Amino acid sequence: MPDRYDLPAGFRWGAATAAYQIEGAVEEDGRGPSVWDTFTVRPGVIRDGHTGAVACDHYHRYPEDIALMKGLGLDGYRFSIAWPRVQPTGAGAVNPAGLAFYDRLVDALLEAGITPLPTLFHWDLPQALEDRGGWLDRDTAYRFAEYATVTADRLGDRVPTWITLNEPFVHTVFGYAMGIHAPGRTLMFEALPAAHHQLLAHGLAASLLHERGLEVMLSNNLTPVEPATPSPADATAAAAYDALHNRLFTDPVLLGRYPDLAALGVPDDIFGAVRPGDLDLIHSPGLDGLGLNYYNPTRIAAPTDPGLPFDLVDIPDVPHTAFGWPVVPDGLRRLLLGLRDTYGTALPPVTVTENGCSVDETTTPDQPRIDFLAAHLDALAQAVAEGIDVHGYYTWSLLDNFEWAEGYHQRFGLVHVDFATQKRNPRASYAWYRDLIAAHRSRCAK
Ligand code: IFM
């Protein structure tokens, strides 16, 4: 395959997963229950009643999965660490068998020549912490800092870079505002203290990781927001949505302040959650890299429902993934250029920590996934050509896995998983990605 993506030497190729979506083994070796174990057994909340109890059984099959990564020629593997494996109740006592699993995983990755890139929190909060208020309780931020320290002290001799949180927007809005994800709360904008406490957790952990000489990133799923029409009402609604989805999770970290949330009816102190000094704790550690998860843009119109300051509308004139998400590769380029416009020199190097799509295999083989990845990498390469410093690209996902409220119905993997037998079958996109990585490497070696 020719190397059509003009990306720099040293650009890092990876794939991503998350603990609850692939590990299974939820009751093994002393793991405590997480909010997802509790949530998934509630009737009606997950499509077809699926749970992550077995998932891809990666807890036992990780050597086979690392062999698949090695076959791709990955530079890096982004995975998440299950907090309830490390601290079953989210505080205090550490579970040696839980840490030992990640120890083995890290060693096996290094043995295969793959750099581990762990995320400390990908939504599986220990249930015991949720019982005390979860992310609505400020103390959870301090517990997270303790968990981050314990984990980094065990793995930091081999793991140079750490992602603190994955997509705090999705966790806050789906988990605490709308009740679509665990822990299933429906607080609407009063959920936003959960966002502040996650950012505080990030800041506290980032300081402790930096003290240990480790690099820190934060993965946000950002979206270019476009007004549905040029009308002032749509522009106002789009700005309100942009503040909620993008700026709320990025401004405090990069600029040390919150965006104006008045259009959402949210006071400056986010319902009393923000205390003096908090923004400094969030901002002053700095960020060594911004993790960017990109899936699609969001089109916004003025509200028709008086309860919300915006309406989300479809982007009808483009293809859609099996999940129904609009496919707009150039949104990635626009997003990257927009980040530079907004944050200027405060923007650290970016790594795309997720990008991919689910494909309905009953209609076609794997071509839509290859087309999706190819077009997004074109857009990424254009942004790099326009001067954006992007260090790597991790596709979502290595394997088909438990897609939260959708259960096992959305298949995002380069590798097909037969959930009845646990057999892994690399798809056409696996071979395509492998060849692309090899072509880039061989061009850079010349
Ligand atoms: O599966 C999720 C992942 O956990 C977080 N980012 C988006 C993916 C696809 O929905």
Side-chain angles (χ1 to χ4, degrees), residues 42 173-180 183-191:
R42 273 199 215 166
V173 170
F174 282 29
Y176 286 86
M178 296 167 69
I180 298 167
R185 304 225 197 176
T186 50
L187 297 168
M188 297 310 286
F189 291 120
E190 290 186 19

Side-chain angles (χ1 to χ4, degrees), residues 23 218 414 444:
E23 284 181 1
L218 166 68
L414 298 180
C444 294

Side-chain angles (χ1 to χ4, degrees), residues 181-254:
H181 281 184
R185 304 225 197 176
T186 50
L187 297 168
M188 297 310 286
F189 291 120
E190 290 186 19
L192 293 193
H196 178 66
H197 295 144
Q198 286 174 79
L199 290 166
L200 182 62
H202 159 81
L204 294 169
S207 282
L208 291 160
L209 294 166
H210 278 160
E211 276 169 24
R212 287 159 174 76
L214 302 170
E215 291 198 337
V216 179
M217 305 202 326
L218 166 68
S219 284
N220 281 332
N221 74 316
L222 301 179
T223 182
V225 177
E226 46 190 56
T229 72
S231 76
D234 285 357
T236 303
Y241 188 79
D242 185 43
L244 174 69
H245 191 132
N246 296 318
R247 302 198 64 145
L248 173 59
F249 297 91
T250 313
D251 285 15
V253 179
L254 298 183

Side-chain angles (χ1 to χ4, degrees), residues 4-5 41 44 50-51 57 62 69 82 121 157-158 166 173 197 212 218 224 276 289 331 334-335 378-379 386 417 434:
R4 81 180 213 214
Y5 308 102
V41 295
H50 292 164
T51 79
D57 193 30
Y62 71 91
M69 297 174 211
F121 181 69
D157 57 337
R158 286 153 290 155
N166 180 69
V173 170
H197 295 144
R212 287 159 174 76
L218 166 68
R334 285 188 275 122
L335 187 55
D378 272 334
E386 291 179 57
V417 177
R434 176 197 64 207

Side-chain angles (χ1 to χ4, degrees), residues 10 69 99 129 138-139 151 168 172 178 287 303 352 431:
M69 297 174 211
L99 270 180
L129 290 185
R138 184 178 174 90
D139 186 59
T151 310
T172 303
M178 296 167 69
L287 211 55
V352 175

Side-chain angles (χ1 to χ4, degrees), residues 263-394:
L264 311 173
V266 176
D268 288 349
D269 68 353
I270 311 196
F271 303 110
V274 184
R275 296 194 187 164
D278 280 5
L279 279 159
D280 191 45
L281 289 171
I282 294 167
H283 172 242
S284 64
L287 211 55
D288 302 295
L290 179 66
L292 171 62
N293 297 356
Y294 174 71
Y295 289 92
N296 53 262
T298 307
R299 193 170 284 184
I300 294 291
T304 46
D305 170 354
L308 280 178
F310 46 71
D311 267 6
L312 274 74
V313 295
D314 188 26
I315 302 178
D317 34 6
V318 298
H320 286 64
T321 71
F323 217 144
W325 298 349
V327 179
V328 186
D330 191 56
L332 176 56
R333 186 189 64 86
R334 285 188 275 122
L335 187 55
L336 287 163
L337 297 182
L339 284 169
R340 181 173 59 189
D341 290 347
T342 305
Y343 298 109
T345 54
L347 180 68
V350 176
T351 293
V352 175
T353 43
E354 287 184 26
N355 176 242
C357 65
S358 63
V359 173
D360 178 0
E361 295 172 299
T362 54
T363 50
T364 48
D366 205 26
Q367 195 57 41
R369 191 183 329 273
I370 295 173
D371 294 345
F372 182 100
L373 298 176
H376 284 78
L377 283 164
D378 272 334
L380 178 67
Q382 280 178 42
V384 170
E386 291 179 57
I388 309 293
D389 190 11
V390 185
H391 283 191
Y393 175 90
Y394 289 69

